[in-house]
């Protein structure tokens, strides 16, 4: 198996929710039951972003301490739009040395108002990115070691990771996992935004391709209702916890 360790980072304690979420992840990743480990962290009431930073840093340190080559991290708002097969990411990453890639996102948010990008690679369904979000990503051992050594500097965990992995970050295209949550939650709006932004960025990707631009512009416009309705489905019918 390509993945050595998979962790679900969460502050939730409801055993029914945790069982449901890990089962959802394992089913869509093709993992055996019990493979995804729940890593609970206490909320940082003073600085919530610091709490999230330290939670992910704990996983990085676990990867370093146990010599895990490939570690997969999830947050508890992750929702898979469709299953992903190991060969969809392992083939691409195995062709590179551990020092040539840092992060592989299964889902991310490449918004337009910040210095983020999507670039085409020579592999179908894999793009090079500068992006955000921590709800579903694979981290290499060298990157985990680098990130574990960082201290909290007042910058959120996703921004820290983004700047630390520029030019060595890749993602699945289209993304397989989005954020999902109740309608009133940021995760709900992020889930809608993530799918929109990936196509907007892909329309203007480098190198520019006229036919891709036309195709994905129309694809995004036509599928807008579907994006929103599927997020509504997640909000009402998926176990989103507390």
């Amino acid at each position: 198996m390509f993945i050595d360790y998979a962790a679900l980072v969460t502050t939730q304690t409801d055993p029914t929710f945790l069982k449901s979420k890990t089962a959802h992840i394992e089913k869509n990743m093709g993992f055996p039951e019990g493979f995804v480990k729940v890593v609970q962290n206490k909320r940082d009431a003073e600085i919530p972003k610091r709490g999230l930073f330290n939670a992910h840093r704990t996983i990085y340190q676990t990867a370093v301490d146990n010599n895990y080559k490939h570690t997969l991290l999830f947050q508890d708002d992750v929702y898979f739009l469709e299953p992903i097969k190991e060969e969809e990411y392992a083939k691409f990453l195995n062709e590179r040395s551990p020092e040539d890639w840092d992060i592989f996102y299964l889902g991310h948010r490449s918004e337009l108002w910040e210095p983020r990008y999507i670039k085409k690679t020579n592999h179908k369904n894999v793009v090079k990115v500068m992006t955000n979000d921590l709800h579903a990503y694979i981290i290499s051992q060298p990157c985990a070691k680098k990130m574990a050594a960082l201290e909290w500097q007042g910058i959120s965990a996703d921004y820290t990771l983004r700047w630390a992995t520029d030019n060595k970050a890749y993602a699945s295209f289209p993304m397989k996992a989005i954020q999902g949550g109740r309608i009133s939650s940021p995760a709900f709006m992020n889930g809608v935004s993530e799918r929109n932004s990936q196509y907007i960025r892909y329309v203007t990707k480098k190198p520019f391709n006229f036919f891709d631009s036309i195709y994905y512009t129309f694809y995004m416009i036509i599928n807008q209702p579907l994006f929103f309705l599927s997020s509504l489905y997640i909000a009402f019918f998926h176990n989103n916890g507390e």
Side-chain angles (χ1 to χ4, degrees):
M1 186 181 293
F2 183 83
I3 301 299
D4 299 305
Y5 179 63
L8 173 65
V9 179
T10 183
T11 58
Q12 299 202 40
T13 58
D14 177 19
T16 300
F17 167 75
L18 296 174
K19 183 178 180 180
S20 172
K21 182 61 68 171
T22 53
H24 172 72
I25 294 170
E26 289 163 353
K27 176 182 177 181
N28 284 279
M29 291 296 303
F31 293 153
E33 183 178 351
F35 186 78
V36 176
K37 307 303 180 186
V38 175
V39 180
Q40 292 176 318
N41 63 291
K42 294 182 179 179
R43 296 181 188 274
D44 188 326
E46 182 183 6
I47 308 177
K49 289 184 178 180
R50 180 178 62 190
L52 182 62
F53 175 91
N54 287 330
H56 283 258
R57 186 167 173 262
T58 297
I59 307 303
Y60 305 149
Q61 189 62 57
T62 298
V64 174
D65 292 343
N66 292 276
N67 199 32
Y68 294 140
K69 292 183 178 179
H70 310 125
T71 300
L72 180 55
L73 289 86
F74 295 102
Q75 292 185 170
D76 59 22
D77 59 356
V78 64
Y79 181 85
F80 278 84
L81 296 169
E82 60 181 278
I84 182 169
K85 297 179 181 179
E86 183 173 288
E87 57 263 31
E88 293 182 56
Y89 54 86
K91 184 177 185 299
F92 175 81
L93 296 176
N94 277 329
E95 292 177 358
R96 286 155 177 76
S97 70
E99 290 76 22
D100 288 337
W101 68 275
D102 285 335
I103 297 291
F104 189 93
Y105 292 94
L106 304 183
H108 61 102
R109 189 153 45 99
S110 188
E111 303 289 11
L112 296 178
W113 53 82
E114 292 184 359
R116 313 183 199 188
Y117 61 73
I118 285 178
K119 297 179 181 179
K120 196 171 185 177
T121 70
N122 59 356
H123 280 252
K124 183 181 179 182
N125 300 329
V126 175
V127 289
K128 192 172 187 178
V129 296
M130 185 177 187
T131 191
N132 266 33
D133 277 356
L134 301 174
H135 62 277
Y137 65 99
I138 305 167
I139 186 169
S140 69
Q141 187 185 63
C143 185
K145 185 175 182 179
K146 175 174 62 176
M147 297 303 296
L150 298 179
E151 298 289 344
W152 169 250
Q153 298 292 328
I155 303 174
S156 62
D158 53 348
Y159 275 52
T160 301
L161 192 64
R162 185 179 81 184
W163 293 115
T165 60
D166 183 28
N167 207 40
K168 288 188 178 181
Y170 299 89
S172 174
F173 180 84
M175 66 180 66
K176 303 294 186 179
I178 64 170
Q179 293 181 77
R182 302 181 188 280
I183 292 179
S184 60
S185 68
F188 173 82
M189 294 308 300
N190 286 348
V192 177
S193 172
E194 284 155 4
R195 282 187 284 177
N196 284 330
S197 63
Q198 73 171 335
Y199 292 116
I200 294 172
R201 284 292 191 182
Y202 198 75
V203 163
T204 59
K205 69 182 183 305
K206 297 179 181 180
F208 180 76
N209 183 291
F210 176 78
F211 296 104
D212 281 351
S213 178
I214 295 298
Y215 175 83
Y216 283 106
T217 296
F218 279 102
Y219 180 89
M220 182 177 57
I221 293 171
I222 292 170
N223 283 281
Q224 281 297 310
L226 177 61
F227 294 165
F228 186 72
L229 288 173
S230 62
S231 288
L232 283 178
Y233 174 85
I234 298 167
F236 286 110
F237 297 106
H238 185 69
N239 186 345
N240 294 303
E242 300 171 358

